[in-house]
Amino acid sequence: MTQEHTVEPRDSLNAQVLDMHRGLTALIEKLGELDTLNQRAEASTDPELRLVLGSQRDTARKHVAMLLEWARRRDAKLDKELRGALFKAGPIAAHYRYDEGLE
C-alpha cells in the first residue's frame, strides 16, 4: 500500500478517509522500518554501528506509537478495540471470544 494507492477512486473518498489512509500508510511504513532496523541492530557486529541502528530503531518505535495514537483518536471503533486489548495481564487471546460475529 502506497500513499498514492487507494482501493477506491480518490474522488469518491472524503478528506477524513484520505487522511486516515495517509496515517495508516505511514504507520505501515514505520512498522517495516522498525522491523528492518531491529534486525540490522541485532545482526551488526560493530558495537558503534549497533548503537546507531538501535537509536534509529528507538526513534521508529516512537513514530509507530504516535501514529497509532493519532489513528486511535480519530476512529472510535479502533479506540474501543485498543482499550479492550492493550495493557491487560494474562494470555492475549483470553480477552476475546472468537464465536462473536463481526460488529
Side-chain angles (χ1 to χ4, degrees):
M1 179 161 75
T2 66
Q3 184 70 24
E4 296 78 28
H5 177 74
T6 56
V7 295
E8 298 295 333
R10 291 178 80 82
D11 59 357
S12 69
L13 303 173
N14 67 41
Q16 289 176 321
V17 169
L18 290 171
D19 278 345
M20 183 60 76
H21 173 70
R22 290 178 186 105
L24 293 176
T25 298
L27 177 59
I28 291 165
E29 290 168 355
K30 280 295 171 183
L31 286 168
E33 181 182 339
L34 175 59
D35 181 38
T36 298
L37 291 167
N38 193 50
Q39 290 180 47
R40 288 180 180 161
E42 177 68 24
S44 178
T45 58
D46 182 284
E48 192 167 21
L49 178 59
R50 188 178 209 148
L51 286 173
V52 171
L53 294 171
S55 176
Q56 287 182 312
R57 176 200 54 216
D58 294 345
T59 299
R61 284 182 178 136
K62 291 176 188 174
H63 292 164
V64 165
M66 287 190 292
L67 287 161
L68 186 57
E69 176 62 7
W70 178 88
R72 183 197 65 79
R73 290 181 183 190
R74 283 154 182 81
D75 183 330
K77 290 184 179 185
L78 178 60
D79 175 56
K80 180 182 175 190
E81 291 298 326
L82 290 174
R83 287 179 186 273
L86 297 177
F87 310 109
K88 307 291 187 215
I92 294 169
H95 297 287
Y96 294 93
R97 289 188 48 182
Y98 291 101
D99 60 338
E100 293 176 353
L102 295 176
E103 295 180 19

